[in-house]
Amino acid sequence: MSKIAVVGTGYVGLTTGAYLAHLGHEVVCADVIPAKVERLNLGQIPIVEAGLQEMVQEGLGEGRLSFVLGAAHAVVGAEFVFLCLPTPQGEDGSADLSYVQEAATEIAPYLESGAIVINKSTVPVGSVEMVADIIGRADIAVVSNPEFLREGTAVHDCLHPDRIVIGAADRVAAQRVAGLYATLKAPILITDAASAETIKYASNAFLATKVSFVNAVANLCEAVGADVGQVVEGMALDPRIGGLFLNPGPGWGGSCFPKDTRALVRIAEDAGYDFMLLRGVVAANTAQQDAVTHKIERMAGGSLSGVNVGVWGLAFKAGTDDLRDSPAIAIIDRLRARGASVRAFDPAVAGPLDGIDVVSDPYAACDGADVLVVLTEWPLFAELDLVKVREVMASPRIVDARNLFNPAYASMLGFAYEGIGRRGWIDPSELDMLELSDTHYGRE
Ligand code: UGA
């Protein structure tokens, strides 16, 4: 088992540290915020992430995991040093590498001879060399080992990865890093550094493209009178297409897709390639948020001025409390700019939020609302009592931007209902037919 340092305790760093300790390694994680380090050492984690708190507590309890202030303290004695630092979007869309650069500068004099520095942050092609140049030591290898975990299922994804990608010019260093994952049953792909860095961006860009594609198909379905649930079901039977990541919605968001797609457009541009397709995907995502806003406006009768909108869901997706680049927030901003007042409920988000009345009860969010809008795909929402919702609303209207409800059921209860790419108002006499043909999108 190895001695490992993890620099940065954000989503990726904290999960990486916790699961490497779970695999039996001795892990020291570093952060720069004293209060965060103190809380982590008490086993309290600052994010909503299934199973992570338990795993951190397990590591602390068994003495294999600890948290320290400052990267220099963590790397002393470490054979492997993971850099898990934020790479936020810079002003021109490119990834801001300053956190990675600062950390590399800080740790350089303290690294043990023979240590391997592993870049897990999502960084542009060439960053392995950049970090190696900053460290400037021939006895230290630097490799790329991108992370593919999803928020909300981070622990599961780390323990059951689809693949481990390791990119390095130094094959021996790459093999040593591969050894860290020996107990996981996952294919390990060793590439050159530039390819590993590109795999990460290309994967996120492809997934974002998939979601934007299905959103476009959903919009088309509305225009031609088709149903996206049935269309996706038919497409997904082709194994080359598959059914995953084809749920239409209010557009993709989060801390990764928006920044990574823009960064890749920029990386391509800097390299002299116009990634036209991806530029289109980014633009289509903004257009999707506009389209959902217009749908809500139409549902409200043509104007949002003075309209009370109840919102279910603020997080960028279910299973997390993360509001970074959340489509829900982007749409709420648009609604408010057009004169609507918004009262919102999200099971993982407590207020106050700038200008949004956040309540702790889903029915309170609908109380007196002219329209109810579902913006995050929390399964819990589909279990709520629509009869009670109808009773408290000023008028029974739902825009279900995650296609959580059965449209026929909502219509039967008297709601004006619109999903994304579904047929809008459904005559209750069509109920039987719909139930027969309803797909996994529909729920009672
Ligand atoms: C994403 C990738 O899925 C991970 O593989 C990657 O490691 C991570 O970014 C990262 O780079 O760190 P994450 O940001 O947690 O993970 O979110 P996703 O689950 O990919 O969802 C992104 C957005 O797409 C969400 O807003 C989600 O609601 C939306 N989405 C996803 C849809 O609208 N429809 C779908 O079918 C799937």
Side-chain angles (χ1 to χ4, degrees):
M1 288 299 148
S2 305
K3 287 187 160 210
I4 296 174
V6 176
V7 181
T9 61
Y11 257 100
V12 171
L14 186 54
T15 314
T16 302
Y19 94 94
L20 286 171
H22 176 78
L23 296 182
H25 302 290
E26 203 178 297
V27 184
V28 182
C29 298
D31 207 286
V32 289
I33 305 167
K36 190 175 181 188
V37 170
E38 215 167 286
R39 287 190 55 199
L40 286 169
N41 272 320
L42 294 171
Q44 297 164 4
I45 68 164
I47 48 175
V48 171
E49 193 58 58
L52 185 55
Q53 178 131 319
E54 292 78 355
M55 199 178 253
V56 167
Q57 287 170 352
E58 174 201 277
L60 290 167
E62 295 185 2
R64 287 195 303 271
L65 179 66
S66 61
F67 298 90
V68 297
L69 192 61
H73 291 110
V75 304
V76 174
E79 300 154 73
F80 299 92
V81 176
F82 283 87
L83 298 182
C84 302
L85 293 147
T87 50
Q89 191 178 310
E91 290 200 346
D92 58 358
S94 63
D96 173 355
L97 296 176
S98 53
Y99 295 101
V100 176
Q101 289 161 336
E102 280 163 28
T105 309
E106 183 185 342
I107 61 174
Y110 300 98
L111 292 166
E112 295 296 321
S113 189
I116 300 176
V117 174
I118 302 148
N119 208 346
K120 254 202 186 300
S121 314
T122 301
V123 284
V125 178
S127 298
V128 159
E129 273 125 70
M130 179 200 76
V131 170
D133 285 347
I134 292 173
I135 291 174
R137 286 176 49 177
D139 60 337
I140 303 293
V142 182
V143 314
S144 165
N145 173 214
E147 181 51 63
F148 301 103
L149 65 79
R150 296 161 297 172
E151 289 186 21
T153 50
V155 170
H156 172 273
D157 292 349
C158 283
L159 293 175
H160 308 278
D162 303 317
R163 77 289 209 194
I164 308 278
V165 174
I166 301 165
D170 181 339
R171 296 290 285 196
V172 176
Q175 292 291 358
R176 280 184 61 204
V177 175
L180 292 176
Y181 301 106
T183 53
L184 297 175
K185 288 183 190 65
I188 296 183
L189 177 68
I190 296 183
T191 65
D192 59 82
S195 299
E197 290 164 338
T198 305
I199 287 169
K200 170 66 194 187
Y201 276 110
S203 299
N204 274 2
F206 184 77
L207 292 169
T209 303
K210 227 178 158 186
V211 176
S212 284
F213 185 84
V214 80
N215 285 340
V217 170
N219 297 338
L220 176 73
C221 285
E222 290 180 9
V224 300
D227 177 78
V228 72
Q230 297 178 50
V231 172
V232 166
E233 199 174 7
M235 288 168 64
L237 290 172
D238 181 336
R240 293 172 303 172
I241 298 173
L244 297 176
F245 243 69
L246 284 176
N247 295 312
W252 38 262
S255 65
C256 305
F257 284 6
K259 99 177 152 55
D260 293 349
T261 45
R262 286 182 177 84
L264 188 53
V265 166
R266 189 55 210 255
I267 289 166
E269 200 175 294
D270 289 348
Y273 174 64
D274 178 6
F275 206 150
M276 210 173 14
L277 175 66
L278 193 55
R279 281 197 289 113
V281 168
V282 171
N285 198 50
T286 307
Q288 186 67 6
Q289 294 169 357
D290 292 332
V292 171
T293 309
H294 286 132
K295 195 186 270 280
I296 300 165
E297 190 168 47
R298 280 197 308 277
M299 184 62 99
S303 166
L304 284 163
S305 179
V307 168
N308 292 321
V309 180
V311 166
W312 283 356
L314 292 164
F316 82 96
K317 66 171 184 177
T320 177
D321 60 346
D322 201 338
L323 298 175
R324 286 176 289 176
D325 262 319
S326 170
I329 302 294
I331 289 166
I332 288 171
D333 285 347
R334 285 164 168 77
L335 297 174
R336 291 177 55 223
R338 287 160 185 258
S341 10
V342 174
R343 186 181 293 159
F345 166 77
D346 186 294
V349 181
L353 281 183
D354 183 30
I356 309 171
D357 182 8
V358 183
V359 292
S360 57
D361 176 80
Y363 302 105
C366 311
D367 200 358
D370 302 298
V371 185
L372 168 63
V373 184
V374 180
L375 291 174
T376 310
E377 72 280 30
W378 286 103
L380 156 88
F381 294 155
E383 312 302 324
L384 294 173
D385 182 356
L386 284 187
V387 174
K388 196 165 163 190
V389 168
R390 186 186 60 195
E391 274 161 20
V392 298
M393 285 185 77
S395 41
R397 294 185 278 209
I398 299 179
V399 173
D400 178 5
R402 294 288 189 167
N403 289 355
L404 280 185
F405 295 112
N406 183 325
Y409 180 61
S411 299
M412 196 185 72
L413 292 182
F415 282 95
Y417 173 94
E418 270 214 56
I420 303 289
R422 294 170 133 184
R423 287 194 287 155
W425 180 274
I426 283 138
D427 188 316
S429 67
E430 290 184 283
L431 193 61
D432 288 349
M433 188 195 80
L434 255 155
E435 275 175 350
L436 280 177
S437 63
D438 214 352
T439 65
H440 54 283
Y441 285 93
R443 286 174 214 181
E444 287 296 341

